[in-house]
Amino acid sequence: MSAVTLYSRPGCHLCDEARDVLLRVREDRPFTLLEVDIERDDELFKRYLERIPVVCLDGEELFDFEVDEAALRHRLSLS
C-alpha cells in the first residue's frame, strides 16, 4: 500500500484544505496517510516553512501549496 505524507503545521488553512483532499481521495484509493507537523522538527521547519503544505507519495514530493486531486488519483492508480 502506498504512503502519502502531508507536511503541515497547526493553523495553516492550506494544510487543512490539502488534508480534506487527501481524505476524500483515500475513500476510493486506499493509502497510508502520515501527517508531519513541521514545527516539531527544526530541519523540517526550515525546509518546508515557505512551501507548506507539501505532499509526498512514497517519499517523492508531488505537491506544495495545494493538492491536484486528479493527478494524485492518477499516481495512486499506478501504484
Side-chain angles (χ1 to χ4, degrees):
M1 180 176 293
S2 295
V4 173
T5 305
L6 171 62
Y7 292 95
S8 63
R9 66 187 285 198
C12 168
H13 74 280
L14 291 176
C15 300
D16 294 340
E17 291 173 12
R19 184 182 309 102
D20 290 344
V21 171
L22 295 176
L23 293 174
R24 186 168 52 245
V25 170
R26 190 169 70 167
E27 289 177 7
D28 61 345
R29 297 270 199 279
F31 58 84
T32 301
L33 177 59
L34 307 166
E35 189 164 353
V36 178
D37 178 353
I38 66 168
E39 290 186 349
R40 295 179 177 261
D41 182 307
D42 290 340
E43 185 70 28
L44 292 176
F45 188 79
K46 290 176 192 172
R47 182 174 179 183
Y48 292 123
L49 177 62
E50 300 296 324
R51 297 176 48 207
I52 60 167
V54 174
V55 174
C56 300
L57 173 60
D58 296 328
E60 177 188 354
E61 288 185 14
L62 294 183
F63 311 107
D64 50 6
F65 303 113
E66 69 180 54
V67 178
D68 180 330
E69 186 171 342
L72 178 60
R73 286 179 185 280
H74 176 72
R75 288 295 301 268
L76 286 167
S77 71
L78 300 175
S79 300

